[in-house]
Every structure is written in C-alpha cells, then in structure tokens.
Amino acid sequence: MNTNRKGSFQDLNALFVFGACSVLLIHILGFFIEAQAEYPWNDDIEALGIILFRFGRSLFIFATGMLLFYWYKHKDMDWAAFWRKRWKVIVLPYVIWTAIYTVCKLQSLDPTVLVPQFLDSLLTGSSFYHLYYIPLYLQLNLLFLLCKRLFERYLTFPLLTFLFFLQIGVYLVYHYLFVDPLVFGIDWTSHPLLELAQHSYIYGQNYAYMYLFHFSLGAYAGLYVENWRTWVNRLRVPFSLLTTIFAVWIAARYLSGDATYEDSLNIFHPLYFVYTTSFLAAFYPVSSFLGNIPVLSGWLSKLAKHNMAIYLVHPFILFLLESHVIFRLNWSTPVLIAVMFVITPPLCIFLYEHTFLSYWTRGGRPKPQKRRNLVIKTHSA
C-alpha cells in the first residue's frame, strides 16, 4: 500500500464504469418499455433489466465515500481548493446542462417562464430524469466536510452494522406511515413538521440521509483499504451467492405478481437494499482485479474519469436519438438498444468536454501536459 496515497487508485474504475453503464442501460430500456406499441419486444426482459440494474446510484455513492476518505484521510484540508475543484468540474457543467434541459423542456426563452423553472431545476435536479444525483453528490461532499473527523475517529464495523439496520428501519417507518399506514386519518398538511415528514418521504431519493449506509460503507472501505480488500476477497463467493439469491427473489416477486413493477423499482426496500449491498461486496474484487490488468487499466481509467460526463449528458443524447433518429431505422428493438448503448458514451464525453470554460479559453486545443523534469543518469569514471 502506498502510504502517502499519491498516484492512482485503480480499484474503483471498473465499478464506476459499470455503474455508469447500468444507469445508461435502464434509461434506454425505460424508453422502450414505454414505447412497446412502436418497438415491440419482450417487456418482461426489459422490466427485469431495469429492476435488477437499478443500483447504479448506490454504486456511485459507495465509490464517492471511498474515494473521499481514501485520498483525504487524516489530512489537513484546504476546503477552498476542495470546493473550487468541484465548482469547475461538477457545478459549472451542471448549471450549463440544466439550462439546456430547461430550454428544451419548456421550448421558450421567455425569462419569466424560464428563470423560475431553471432555479427550481438547479436545486432539485429535476430538469431531466436522474439529474438529482448532482445535487445529491454535492450533499455528500458537504456531509464529508461535516463528518470527516468524526468518521476518522469513530467509524467502526459495529457502527456500520447499526447504520445498516437503521437504513432498513427508516424504510419501514415510511412504509407504515404512508404506503400501508398503521394509523389512519393523519392530516399531513396540518403542521410544518408533518409536512416536512411527508416531503422527506416523497422526495427521499433526493437527500443524502437515504444513502447514509452506502456512503458510510464507502468511507469505511476508504479508511481501512487493506482490511476491506481482505474481507471482500475472502467472502466473495458467499456474497456472490447472496447476490444471486436476492436477484432471483426480486425477479420472482415481480414475475409472479407478488410485487408490482413500481414496487420492484424501490431500491430502499429491504430486499433490494441487501441485494445492492451484497452486489457491491461481490463486485469489488472483480473491479479491483480488472482495474489492475495492464491491458484494461488505462481504458477503464479514462472511462471512469468521464463517468460524470456520461451521467450528466446521456439524457440529452437519448432524447435526440429517441426523437429524431431511431424511428427512421428499420431495425429490431434489441439492435436499437445495443446501438444506443454503444454510441451514447462517446457523444456524451464529446459534448461534456465542450462545456468546460477551460476548453474555450484554450481555443479548443487539448490541455497541455505537465512537463516532467529530465533526469540524466551519469556514470563516474
């Protein structure tokens, strides 16, 4: 282990790539499942693909927690530099793309219509589906700022176990308050605290507290990397079996009608929560192995670096393909899915790079490489 933590960390590259691919896949499948009349195929396969690959955001949150605590553990932080970097790389492109999506959605340049919707979309990530992850990512960085010292001192495996069951408990509280209520007749608009409770249920996926366990699991893995690697490697077979069992269980509940399609999409359900956690633990050794293969490491590293590009821009690319391209192609639905899946990432990366201010200030030229000092070895006579 490189104790000064300089250089690169390859363990998570494949996990980032897989997470981005899972998000892209479910959004492609989501379009085709809504357009069965125009693009007929097996809707059960499409639905199961969406259901079983819906854990992408949890993978990102785990990886975010791990990277933050791996790179910055026990270091004095320059918080101004920390937030400045995120402003350039995350916030500014997010603002630009939120504006693009808002204009596309409203099809208006009237400031009285555009500005209120833009500001609301900016805060909530609602300008296009799945963009709420960007405000959520910033919340996680704020959580890191507030809890860094506490996590470094107090985050232990027993505390993780407590957070695991606490996360399930939060789901059960919401379920028996709002979905299958044990107490009827509550007027959720009668008091600000009750309104806040209802809001936290309806919009829970937008807030960091609903992902506290997986962020904390990532933090634990980042703080104790060698222990984490040893643990998941030793238990990779049991975790793989557990993942398979829960995947079959979730699929069987949907196919048998015991769970509706909407219920099966709930990643906070205890079954899905355990499924996601076991998948994370089972896939981590695979990600670490792939990330350290010389033939793949460079390719995975580049794709992982552009993870945010795929996440932020892919709705726009899919919108263009779905609205203006694929209906002109007399191809089968599986072929259309495959083609959209392959061509979307490079288009996302191309457009994302063009939203950087630095790209335009350089006149479109590539970023210059840092010069390395030349060391000349000599042999004395």
Side-chain angles (χ1 to χ4, degrees):
M1 184 69 187
N2 192 356
T3 55
N4 64 12
R5 301 186 296 282
K6 293 180 179 179
S8 60
F9 184 65
Q10 306 291 342
D11 283 22
L12 291 173
N13 286 339
L15 188 143
F16 270 121
V17 172
F18 185 85
C21 289
S22 69
V23 170
L24 178 58
L25 177 64
I26 66 172
H27 288 160
I28 293 173
L29 292 175
F31 166 76
F32 285 102
I33 206 169
E34 291 179 359
Q36 277 286 321
E38 294 81 9
Y39 305 97
W41 195 41
N42 190 314
D43 57 344
D44 283 338
I45 293 178
E46 293 172 341
L48 288 176
I50 296 173
I51 292 168
L52 295 179
F53 286 97
R54 198 172 165 78
F55 47 48
R57 83 188 82 159
S58 299
L59 302 189
F60 288 135
I61 289 165
F62 166 83
T64 297
M66 184 172 187
L67 283 182
L68 286 173
F69 281 90
Y70 173 77
W71 287 117
Y72 298 113
K73 63 182 176 181
H74 306 301
K75 291 178 65 176
D76 293 328
M77 296 292 299
D78 181 351
W79 290 111
F82 178 86
W83 288 107
R84 192 160 51 244
K85 179 179 179 181
R86 277 144 187 81
W87 165 259
K88 293 179 180 178
V89 179
I90 304 296
V91 177
L92 189 56
Y94 171 64
V95 171
I96 293 171
W97 281 100
T98 297
I100 293 172
Y101 289 137
T102 304
V103 170
C104 290
K105 181 189 294 185
L106 299 179
Q107 297 186 9
S108 171
L109 294 178
D110 182 355
T112 60
V113 175
L114 197 61
V115 173
Q117 183 63 48
F118 168 73
L119 294 176
D120 178 73
S121 299
L122 200 62
L123 292 174
T124 61
S126 59
S127 60
F128 223 114
Y129 53 77
H130 224 72
L131 289 189
Y132 64 84
Y133 176 73
I134 309 300
L136 177 60
Y137 172 81
L138 296 175
Q139 290 177 51
L140 295 173
N141 281 268
L142 180 61
L143 181 62
F144 172 68
L145 182 153
L146 296 174
C147 299
K148 179 177 182 292
R149 296 299 183 190
L150 292 174
F151 275 33
E152 289 171 349
R153 179 174 296 183
Y154 298 113
L155 187 59
T156 60
F157 191 79
L159 180 57
L160 270 181
T161 304
F162 169 76
L163 292 175
F164 177 85
F165 288 105
L166 177 64
Q167 200 81 67
I168 294 176
V170 169
Y171 169 84
L172 293 176
V173 168
Y174 281 145
H175 180 82
Y176 289 112
L177 278 177
F178 298 103
V179 181
D180 188 15
L182 297 178
V183 179
F184 295 93
I186 299 177
D187 181 4
W188 295 103
T189 62
S190 62
H191 192 276
L193 289 178
L194 292 176
E195 289 182 347
L196 180 62
Q198 186 182 47
H199 175 86
S200 69
Y201 164 70
I202 296 173
Y203 299 102
Q205 69 172 2
N206 296 356
Y207 296 110
Y209 72 90
M210 290 299 292
Y211 308 92
L212 182 60
F213 170 74
H214 286 128
F215 181 77
S216 301
L217 182 64
Y220 181 85
L223 291 170
Y224 309 104
V225 175
E226 295 301 342
N227 290 343
W228 168 257
R229 285 170 171 165
T230 300
W231 186 62
V232 293
N233 272 290
R234 285 179 178 174
L235 297 176
R236 62 185 182 276
V237 173
F239 277 124
S240 297
L241 290 174
L242 194 63
T243 301
T244 304
I245 290 170
F246 275 87
V248 171
W249 191 351
I250 292 168
R253 291 179 75 241
Y254 166 70
L255 293 174
S256 66
D258 290 342
T260 65
Y261 174 68
E262 289 73 20
D263 290 340
S264 300
L265 294 176
N266 190 343
I267 67 169
F268 305 113
H269 189 284
L271 284 181
Y272 209 102
F273 184 65
V274 176
Y275 166 62
T276 300
T277 305
S278 60
F279 177 86
L280 263 172
F283 188 73
Y284 188 92
V286 178
S287 178
S288 178
F289 173 75
L290 294 175
N292 288 279
I293 296 176
V295 177
L296 295 177
S297 60
W299 179 74
L300 288 172
S301 180
K302 288 179 181 179
L303 277 179
K305 180 181 177 181
H306 292 296
N307 174 72
M308 190 59 69
I310 297 172
Y311 200 94
L312 189 59
V313 185
H314 80 270
F316 183 70
I317 303 298
L318 294 183
F319 170 75
L320 293 178
L321 291 174
E322 293 160 4
S323 302
H324 303 288
V325 178
I326 63 172
F327 71 90
R328 305 174 189 272
L329 304 174
N330 189 25
W331 297 350
S332 67
T333 299
V335 171
L336 289 173
I337 291 172
V339 170
M340 292 172 68
F341 184 81
V342 170
I343 68 173
T344 298
L347 293 174
C348 290
I349 293 168
F350 174 79
L351 289 179
Y352 182 76
E353 288 178 339
H354 283 67
T355 61
F356 283 115
L357 181 62
S358 58
Y359 176 88
W360 297 105
T361 56
R362 293 194 310 267
R365 294 185 301 272
K367 183 178 179 180
Q369 298 296 319
K370 292 182 179 179
R371 294 184 62 183
R372 299 177 62 184
N373 294 328
L374 180 63
V375 179
I376 302 176
K377 294 184 179 181
T378 61
H379 299 278
S380 58

